[in-house]
Amino acid sequence: MKEYGADCTLKETIHIYHTNDLHSHFEHWPRIRDFLLQRKAVHRERGEACYLFDIGDHMDRSHPYTDATRGKGNVLMLNEVGYDAVTIGNNEGITLSPGELSALYEEADFPVVLANLFTQEGKQPGWTVPEVYLTTKSGIRIGLIAATADFSTSYERLGWKVAGPRSALEAAAPRVTRQSDILICLSHMGSSEDDRLAEQTDGLIDVIIGGHTHHLYPAGREVGDTLVAAAGKWGHYVGEISLTFDHAKSKVVGATARVHDTETLPIPEDDKSFDRLLRQKAAELLSETVFLNPVELRGGWEGPTPLSGLFAEALLSHTGADCAMFNSGIFLGGLREGNVSGLDLHRLLPHPINPCVITLTGKELEEAYELSQNPEWPGIRLKGLGFRGEKMGAMIHHGISRGENGKLLVAGTAAEPDRVYRLATLDLFTYGFFFPAFKQARKEYFMPEFIRDVLAGYAILKFGAPPS
């Protein structure tokens, strides 16, 4: 929109649409796609500036299509709509191998803006740019900066270096704002860090568009002179920002934010079939037999099963740990006798979860064992931390138990309080929510392999690979 004020000052409105944390919830994508294409067409017809941004975690390998294409299918969706720039979330950054992440955006029609991820040599990866400049037809220059959450241990394990996101953005803001009329930040840091960034940069950043913590700001928030916007999670909402730029003053003089509930958007023809067709494509891509299963292996949330026993053996074989502990809720079904395909494994263990070994003294291990007996845990509805199931389920212990005399046994031998033991578990337990002591304990993450890869590798060794 263009308008002349009483002082004949030319003002112009810039329209921005944004998505974040879709997590491959493609059931909402057809509505988002058509809405954004329609809005772009309207603004183009009116001669108005319009830009589309994604703030990361568009992909999630819990969806079989994303897993089968290693996220490249997600990139094609962003291309189709015509996004102008994106940044990455932790699901792009740490659920792919370095080679897969480097190849993810090979066919992207947009830049990947990222200021805080580097190679081991400290160089900017070739698939990213530290900042982007967009120029409207009227000559307004928009600078973009972006950063992703600091999962430093995971990134380092994969061979990347990650800098503190907020410090990287605070350093970039003065430089980029000197070359811009408007400065926008794409932040996959989380809501509290977005607020701190706005406070620390003291109005240098006109807009921070946030993600990562799945927060929703229906009308945006003002932190000092910065507008902070966010559109929730899973494609439930599309964000819209309107910036009024005063050409005479060469600055933004008005900023508003809103969100569009995708449940209220027009329903396209492929609204119901889109996700189904993607899953059919994934079934084709993941149809190859991985191993031959000699007997049916049923799962269960109540306690140990032959399936959990096989997985425990796989964990110990893969990590070389002394004992293992994990929750039975990770198994979303069982494995039939006969050919087991990549799709079967994905259905069983869809979680983007890595194995981890935690080093504990015998005393600490006993404390963790006692904590894991909490009778309320099996029924907990667990969301996040990489878990893509429903209930926590009973805790499974392998190589660790109570003896008849009440002493803790590790591999059949009484645990010594001061001796060091290596416990194989899942990375979701290292964040301190269930076992607070694990957060500070020495840990070794096994990456980029997921727990389904660990099970498959062990099953191939134990049962044999299918004939080629």
Side-chain angles (χ1 to χ4, degrees):
M1 178 182 72
K2 294 182 179 180
E3 63 178 4
Y4 285 91
D7 59 356
C8 296
T9 299
L10 181 65
K11 293 180 182 178
E12 179 179 350
T13 300
I14 298 169
H15 304 271
I16 296 166
Y17 296 88
H18 56 96
T19 52
N20 63 276
D21 296 280
L22 186 79
H23 283 275
S24 293
H25 278 262
F26 299 130
E27 61 270 22
H28 302 289
W29 187 252
R31 299 187 190 197
I32 294 171
R33 175 201 63 205
D34 285 12
F35 171 73
L36 291 176
L37 288 171
Q38 186 267 340
R39 295 308 299 162
K40 284 179 65 176
V42 167
H43 294 307
R44 182 169 57 247
E45 184 178 341
R46 295 174 178 172
E48 298 170 340
C50 172
Y51 298 100
L52 312 184
F53 305 130
D54 186 78
I55 319 301
D57 276 1
H58 188 278
M59 62 163 277
D60 191 313
R61 286 181 59 189
S62 63
H63 194 290
Y65 179 71
T66 295
D67 190 58
T69 65
R70 291 301 191 267
K72 289 193 171 187
N74 296 64
V75 171
L76 295 179
M77 293 177 200
L78 294 167
N79 281 347
E80 181 185 9
V81 180
Y83 275 69
D84 294 284
V86 308
T87 194
I88 72 166
N90 42 289
N91 273 272
E92 286 89 5
I94 63 174
T95 71
L96 297 172
S97 71
E100 290 166 344
L101 180 54
S102 296
L104 175 60
Y105 298 103
E106 286 177 337
E107 298 180 46
D109 296 334
F110 48 81
V112 180
V113 193
L114 191 57
N116 69 318
L117 185 70
F118 306 95
T119 66
Q120 284 287 357
E121 296 74 32
K123 297 180 179 179
Q124 186 89 25
W127 49 273
T128 71
V129 291
E131 69 253 4
V132 161
Y133 298 93
L134 305 170
T135 305
T136 70
K137 288 183 179 180
S138 64
I140 302 170
R141 200 168 197 221
I142 301 170
L144 295 180
I145 56 177
T148 194
D150 182 6
F151 285 71
S152 54
T153 301
S154 297
Y155 278 112
E156 289 168 7
R157 183 73 183 177
L158 288 166
W160 301 107
K161 287 185 177 180
V162 63
R166 184 159 53 86
S167 60
L169 293 169
E170 288 173 4
R175 181 185 73 253
V176 179
T177 200
R178 284 194 295 269
Q179 304 176 65
S180 310
D181 299 303
I182 299 172
L183 182 58
I184 297 174
C185 174
L186 313 182
S187 165
H188 198 85
M189 297 190 298
S191 58
S192 60
E193 286 296 280
D194 291 348
D195 287 354
R196 293 189 186 100
L197 176 65
E199 293 164 357
Q200 292 298 318
T201 50
D202 194 25
L204 279 180
I205 302 174
D206 294 288
V207 180
I208 297 172
I209 310 176
H212 183 51
T213 46
H214 300 179
H215 48 294
L216 174 68
Y217 297 151
R221 295 177 61 247
E222 290 186 5
V223 180
D225 293 327
T226 300
L227 175 69
V228 183
K233 65 177 182 178
W234 298 0
H236 291 313
Y237 299 91
V238 177
E240 179 182 359
I241 297 166
S242 298
L243 300 178
T244 303
F245 186 83
D246 189 318
H247 284 269
K249 297 179 179 179
S250 296
K251 69 176 185 177
V252 172
V253 294
T256 61
R258 60 180 296 198
V259 296
H260 300 269
D261 186 339
T262 53
E263 288 295 324
T264 67
L265 297 180
I267 301 173
E269 289 185 5
D270 61 348
D271 187 58
K272 298 299 183 185
S273 62
F274 185 79
D275 186 68
R276 183 176 70 249
L277 292 174
L278 291 182
R279 290 178 184 275
Q280 290 175 3
K281 179 64 174 177
E284 296 170 10
L285 295 172
L286 297 172
S287 63
E288 187 174 339
T289 298
V290 178
F291 66 89
L292 300 175
N293 189 25
V295 295
E296 181 183 8
L297 295 171
R298 294 187 179 183
W301 292 342
E302 295 78 20
T305 64
L307 178 59
S308 68
L310 178 67
F311 178 70
E313 292 174 13
L315 261 186
L316 293 185
S317 174
H318 190 77
T319 63
D322 301 303
C323 51
M325 182 171 68
F326 52 89
N327 60 307
S328 61
I330 59 173
F331 304 111
L332 306 191
L335 291 176
R336 65 178 181 270
E337 178 183 351
N339 295 345
V340 175
S341 69
L343 185 63
D344 293 327
L345 286 165
H346 190 279
R347 285 172 174 163
L348 177 70
L349 295 164
H351 329 278
I353 290 175
N354 304 102
C356 177
V357 168
I358 302 178
T359 301
L360 302 167
T361 64
K363 183 176 182 294
E364 292 169 333
L365 182 60
E366 184 163 16
E367 290 171 353
Y369 181 83
E370 282 302 306
L371 192 56
S372 73
Q373 306 290 329
N374 189 324
E376 297 181 358
W377 282 10
I380 290 176
R381 294 280 178 177
L382 181 58
K383 295 294 181 184
L385 304 176
F387 185 74
R388 301 295 185 257
E390 296 181 32
K391 291 183 180 180
M392 176 88 160
M395 293 298 289
I396 305 297
H397 307 89
H398 191 84
I400 176 174
S401 61
R402 283 287 183 195
E404 292 182 1
N405 59 0
K407 289 186 176 294
L408 186 72
L409 303 179
V410 177
T413 303
E416 301 173 27
D418 297 324
R419 180 179 169 181
V420 171
Y421 296 90
R422 300 177 74 244
L423 172 68
T425 188
L426 315 178
D427 64 4
L428 74 89
F429 292 121
T430 66
Y431 300 110
F433 292 99
F434 293 96
F435 301 96
F438 286 7
K439 192 170 185 177
Q440 303 302 324
R442 185 156 60 92
K443 296 174 282 287
E444 179 185 2
Y445 294 94
F446 291 77
M447 305 178 75
E449 63 269 30
F450 288 160
I451 53 177
R452 59 178 172 267
D453 302 316
V454 172
L455 178 62
Y458 183 74
I460 289 171
L461 289 175
K462 184 166 183 171
F463 304 137
S468 56

